[in-house]
Each structure stands twice: as structure tokens, then as C-alpha cells.
């Protein structure tokens, strides 16, 4: 019989001295506090980890499963396609999927910029955790009832695997052999598993350029890659029943915003894009970049949305140093960006 059991036995027999009774009660109280503290910590523990640099595809899958289990009432996790090396491309829908207005967020088009996936996943968890609370004085659930947010947190999971673990991370033997012949650093890889730059593969003023490799190669034709095709299909699907009010594209270099439109943008698109970049600039402090012409940005995703689809679009470059970004930058990036997406949704609510 241990000390606690002995005291309990003596207490039951009404033979426990007052001092031991106090000790027993204090011990029980401490045990209760410890138990509920552990329970509370478990309940409120973060799902998405931000204390390490390599946020992997496996971690993404696990976190999405946990988020759906915990917040399934407020979100949907869909598979919109597969990558070249057969990894899933995930879409996370926050709020009312039948809303008439939709905001799209895409990240990790460039392989080495995988901290954008980590950022988007942390945003998703933060908005779900605060679903019935207020951000900037507005209840999140009210916003997401009218404006659904569609995240694609990792548009290039194959390229990310290459950047994180090298060419041997590609499971298809034929793809892997071709990649090794292309040369270049796997760590700073930007392209997908076929050596195509997914931010130069869109159907806007497309023209062939470059050779398969880490960056710059646009592909054999516009939307030649399964990742690009999946994103376009998702956009088309959303617009069958609703309206996409804006697109936010997350990249990683320079702490800048691409938000200005060329003269070929419609007045409505230009005005709405201006509102979007001014809000993002106010929240992040990022420097606004000059207008890019369509010809100089041939095949780029932002220009596709702006001029081909007439959808307002801004691109945020979150980091200061070269990619892959150090995890030391995440804290600063998070402070600047944690409210960006929900605040952009509020513009259209």
C-alpha cells in the first residue's frame, strides 16, 4: 500500500489526523490541477508545427486529416488532382462551399518556397480555431458564410520533395533518371518533377522558353503539367456556381507585393486588385513592385488570372533571404500575414 492509499484508508476509518488530511486534500487538488492542465493542453495543442524548416508532404497530409477531424463542421478537404509523381493536390475550403463569392489562395508553385505551405496551413488552423470569434472586430463565421476561402497550400509537392530530400525523393524511376540528367542543385529546385516551372506554364501570352531543369522552362505548351491543369479545373469548377472575387498567390523572395495592373486589365479588376494590394501592404509592410507587362510575364499565373480570367490577383513574397527560407524567419512572416487572407475576404463580404 502506497502513501496515498494509506492516507485514504485512514481517512475512511476517520483516523486521519488534521495535518495529514490537509496534506491529502492538497495532494488531491494538485493531482486534479495537473490532470486538467494536461487535458486542456491537449485540447488546445496546435496541429500545424512551425518549429522546423522542412514542412513535408507527409506532414501536410497528416495535418489536413487532423484539421478535418477537429473542424470538419467548418471546412472541407478535397483532392483536386495528382502531381506528376502521383502526390495528391489538396484543396481546403473554409466556410460555406455554396457561397456566391469565393477567394482562392495558392502557394508553393515554386518547389523551394515550401514555407508558403507552412504559412497557409497555419492560417487555415488559425481561422478555424477562431471560427466563432472576431478578428478585426468581425466574426469569422459571418465572413465565411458569404465568402468561402479555397486554399491550395501545396501546388508543387513533387518539387518540394526534391528541394527537401534530393532527386531520390521522386518515386518514378523514369522521372528520377531524367531529373538527374538535368543537373542543377536539388536544394534550390523551383520546378516540378518534369523540370517545368509551374509559374510559367499558364495560358497567357505563352511561348516556349528554356530547357527542362530547376527553373525557367515553361513546358511544351500552356497548361502542359498536371498541377496546372488541376488548378485551372478547380477555378472552372468554382465559377460554375459562384464568383471568384480574388486570388492571393504566396511566394517567398523579397518581402514585396505584386499588385499593380497593366492597362489591359478591366477597370473593375484594376480597382479591386488595388484594394487588395493596399490592404496587404498595410498589414505586411511589404514593398509594392512596379507593373509587369503581359509580354515580360508570359505564362505567369498572376497575369493569367488578371487578364485571361478577369479575376483580381495579388502575389505576396514573404521572405527576406534566399530560399529555402530559414525557420528563423517564420515568426516575423506569421505576424505580418496571419490576418491577411481573412481580411482580404472581408473586403468582399
Amino acid at each position: 500500500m502506497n502513501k496515498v492509499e494509506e492516507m485514504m484508508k485512514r481517512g475512511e476509518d476517520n483516523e486521519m489526523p488534521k495535518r495529514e488530511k490537509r496534506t491529502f486534500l492538497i495532494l488531491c487538488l494538485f493531482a486534479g490541477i495537473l490532470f486538467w492542465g494536461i487535458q486542456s493542453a491537449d485540447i488546445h495543442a496546435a496541429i500545424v508545427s512551425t518549429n522546423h524548416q522542412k514542412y513535408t508532404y507527409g506532414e501536410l497530409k497528416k495535418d489536413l486529416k487532423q484539421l478535418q477531424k477537429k473542424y470538419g463542421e467548418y471546412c472541407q478537404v478535397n483532392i483536386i488532382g495528382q502531381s506528376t509523381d502521383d502526390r495528391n493536390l489538396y484543396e481546403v475550403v473554409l466556410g460555406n462551399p455554396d457561397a456566391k463569392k469565393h477567394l482562392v489562395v495558392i502557394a508553393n508553385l515554386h518547389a523551394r518556397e515550401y514555407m508558403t505551405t507552412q504559412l497557409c496551413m497555419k492560417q487555415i488552423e488559425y481561422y478555424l480555431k477562431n471560427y466563432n470569434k472576431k478578428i478585426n472586430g468581425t466574426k469569422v463565421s459571418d465572413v465565411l458564410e458569404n465568402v468561402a476561402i479555397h486554399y491550395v497550400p501545396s501546388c508543387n509537392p513533387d518539387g518540394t520533395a526534391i528541394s527537401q530530400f534530393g532527386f531520390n525523393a521522386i518515386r518514378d524511376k523514369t522521372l528520377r533518371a531524367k531529373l538527374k540528367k538535368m543537373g542543377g542543385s536539388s536544394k534550390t529546385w523551383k520546378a516540378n518533377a518534369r523540370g517545368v516551372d509551374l509559374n510559367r506554364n499558364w495560358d497567357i501570352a505563352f511561348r516556349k522558353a528554356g530547357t527542362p531543369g530547376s527553373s525557367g522552362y515553361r513546358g511544351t505548351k500552356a497548361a502542359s503539367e498536371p498541377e496546372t491543369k488541376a488548378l485551372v479545373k478547380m477555378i472552372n469548377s468554382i465559377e460554375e456556381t459562384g464568383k471568384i472575387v480574388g486570388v492571393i498567390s504566396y511566394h517567398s523572395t523579397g518581402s514585396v507585393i505584386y499588385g499593380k495592373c497593366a492597362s489591359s486589365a478591366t477597370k473593375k479588376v484594376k480597382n479591386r486588385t488595388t484594394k487588395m494590394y493596399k490592404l496587404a501592404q498595410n498589414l505586411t509592410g511589404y514593398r509594392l513592385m512596379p507593373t509587369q507587362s503581359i509580354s515580360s510575364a508570359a505564362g505567369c499565373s498572376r497575369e493569367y488570372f488578371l487578364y485571361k480570367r478577369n479575376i483580381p490577383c495579388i502575389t505576396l513574397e514573404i521572405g527576406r533571404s534566399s530560399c529555402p527560407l530559414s525557420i528563423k524567419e517564420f515568426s516575423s512572416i506569421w505576424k505580418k500575414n496571419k490576418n491577411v487572407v481573412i481580411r482580404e475576404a472581408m473586403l468582399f463580404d
Side-chain angles (χ1 to χ4, degrees), residues 83-143:
S83 66
T84 305
D85 198 36
D86 292 328
R87 290 176 174 85
N88 291 333
L89 302 172
Y90 292 102
E91 171 200 32
V92 186
V93 185
L94 305 187
N96 177 14
D98 298 319
K100 294 301 180 184
K101 300 175 184 178
H102 303 263
L103 180 67
V104 174
V105 185
I106 59 177
N108 190 210
L109 277 169
H110 285 149
R112 66 190 185 186
E113 299 178 14
Y114 48 82
M115 189 173 284
T116 59
T117 300
Q118 204 169 16
L119 171 63
C120 286
M121 288 295 290
K122 193 65 180 176
Q123 287 177 336
I124 290 168
E125 182 176 15
Y126 174 64
Y127 300 148
L128 289 173
K129 185 177 180 180
N130 290 279
Y131 197 88
N132 293 304
K133 297 178 182 178
K134 291 183 178 181
I135 291 178
N136 197 49
T138 302
K139 197 172 181 181
V140 172
S141 60
D142 291 343
V143 177

Side-chain angles (χ1 to χ4, degrees), residues 49-53 115 118 325-331:
S49 174
T50 58
N51 62 5
H52 61 288
Q53 183 193 28
M115 189 173 284
Q118 204 169 16
L325 297 175
S326 166
I327 194 61
K328 293 178 182 179
E329 286 202 49
F330 189 86
S331 178

